[in-house]
């Protein structure tokens, strides 16, 4: 007897569900918590996120929970009656959650622009993220995750979900592009030994590295790159010393004096000194 009464109540709930929502159809965001899963504070926080979806993308959000309607009931017919009703918004997202122990259920439906943006693949991704929270009884976290994902997906073209636009592929592409640019730069370099000695050992080592990289890029032209060499390379500092110096002057003025005049001037200078 009790089972028959329970079935009758469940059927009555199915008929009352579209009626209860249609009475609030003038509202843009509707949260009908028939299963008593949320507190009043949690409902207010979820409404703020749903209102953000409405303000940005002109799409309403309905969240409906039930403890009586499950997989065996024709719930999709009544969800369709809500989404396609006369008073329903043109763009609408519906999240339906059933808390029946034997047959828990959570489905997402989109109408208007939401149907294009919330593709079956995206809906599957959202419900997969909600699964852990729903199975652990954290319904607010699950619904909040749904609201955040809906807000994100409504502003992102579904074409961007392609594998080509994934972060891994983009990282590999950037690395290949960097290697290609480096390769072209090395091909355009023609290293030549400097005329003077480098200032320090770091500069000398860098020159050797560039020469070896050039040999890798141009194996035909530089088969065995030689290290940087100059005069200091062949100088034995322990057994060598500076023997003389020859200075060359430029941009100077020279005065040539004949020998007789020079000797007479020296004699005059000696007499003055005496």
């Amino acid at each position: 007897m009790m089972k028959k009464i329970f079935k009758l109540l469940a059927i009555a709930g199915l008929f009352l569900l579209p009626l209860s929502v249609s009475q609030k159809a003038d509202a843009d965001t509707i949260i009908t918590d028939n299963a008593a899963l949320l507190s009043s504070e949690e409902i207010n926080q979820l409404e703020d996120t749903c209102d953000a979806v409405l303000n940005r993308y002109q799409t309403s959000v309905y969240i409906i929970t039930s403890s009586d309607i499950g997989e065996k009931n024709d719930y999709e017919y009544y969800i369709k009656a809500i989404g396609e009703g006369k008073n329903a918004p043109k763009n609408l997202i519906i999240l339906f959650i059933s808390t029946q122990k034997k047959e828990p259920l959570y489905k997402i439906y989109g109408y208007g622009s939401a149907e294009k943006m919330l593709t079956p693949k995206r809906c599957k991704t959202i419900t997969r993220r909600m699964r852990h929270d729903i199975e652990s009884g954290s319904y607010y976290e699950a619904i909040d995750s749904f609201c955040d994902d809906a807000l994100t997906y409504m502003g992102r073209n579904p074409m961007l979900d392609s594998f080509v636009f994934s972060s891994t592929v983009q990282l590999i592409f950037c690395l290949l592009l960097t290697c290609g640019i480096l390769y072209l730069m090395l091909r355009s370099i023609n290293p030549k030994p400097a005329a003077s000695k480098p200032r320090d050992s770091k500069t000398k080592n860098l020159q050797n590295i560039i020469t070896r990289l050039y040999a890798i890029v141009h194996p035909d032209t530089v088969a065995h790159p030689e290290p940087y060499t100059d005069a200091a390379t062949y100088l034995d500092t322990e057994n060598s010393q500076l023997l003389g110096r020859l200075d060359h002057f430029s941009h100077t003025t020279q005065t040539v004096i004949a020998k007789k005049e020079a000797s007479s001037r020296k004699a005059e200078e000696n007499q003055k000194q005496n």
Side-chain angles (χ1 to χ4, degrees), residues 15-127:
F15 282 99
L16 292 175
L17 179 61
L19 295 176
S20 63
V21 175
S22 62
Q23 291 176 357
K24 302 178 183 179
D26 294 336
D28 296 318
T29 298
I30 296 178
I31 299 179
T32 305
D33 187 18
N34 295 323
L37 304 177
L38 306 170
S39 64
S40 57
E41 182 179 357
E42 291 173 343
I43 291 176
N44 292 332
Q45 293 177 357
L46 293 174
E47 286 178 346
D48 292 339
T49 307
C50 294
D51 290 340
V53 177
L54 174 66
N55 295 331
R56 294 185 188 180
Y57 310 112
Q58 292 74 47
T59 302
S60 300
V61 179
Y62 291 178
I63 299 175
I64 305 169
T65 67
S66 174
S67 58
D68 299 328
I69 304 173
E71 187 73 34
K72 293 182 179 180
N73 308 116
D74 192 6
Y75 65 92
E76 290 191 349
Y77 172 80
Y78 299 97
I79 296 297
K80 185 177 180 179
I82 296 171
E84 298 179 358
K86 295 181 179 180
N87 298 326
K90 181 180 179 181
N91 303 319
L92 175 63
I93 302 173
I94 299 178
L95 171 63
F96 175 72
I97 297 178
S98 173
T99 59
Q100 286 189 351
K101 294 183 178 179
K102 294 182 180 180
E103 300 169 352
L105 181 68
Y106 40 102
K107 292 283 187 177
I108 301 173
Y109 302 85
Y111 298 91
S113 62
E115 185 177 5
K116 298 178 181 179
M117 302 303 290
L118 296 182
T119 60
K121 182 179 179 180
R122 286 184 167 183
C123 291
K124 186 177 180 180
T125 301
I126 296 174
T127 53

Side-chain angles (χ1 to χ4, degrees), residues 228-240:
Y228 180 87
T229 58
D230 58 359
T233 306
Y234 306 101
L235 181 63
D236 187 0
T237 56
E238 295 181 358
N239 301 318
S240 303

Side-chain angles (χ1 to χ4, degrees), residues 215-267:
I216 295 174
V217 178
H218 302 275
D220 298 333
T221 58
V222 183
H224 301 285
E226 297 180 357
Y228 180 87
T229 58
D230 58 359
T233 306
Y234 306 101
L235 181 63
D236 187 0
T237 56
E238 295 181 358
N239 301 318
S240 303
Q241 62 180 352
L242 183 62
L243 300 179
R245 176 180 294 173
L246 180 62
D247 297 331
H248 296 273
F249 299 94
S250 61
H251 303 287
T252 59
T253 302
Q254 298 180 357
T255 303
V256 180
I257 302 174
K259 291 184 178 180
K260 292 182 179 181
E261 295 179 359
S263 60
S264 62
R265 288 183 180 180
K266 288 182 179 180

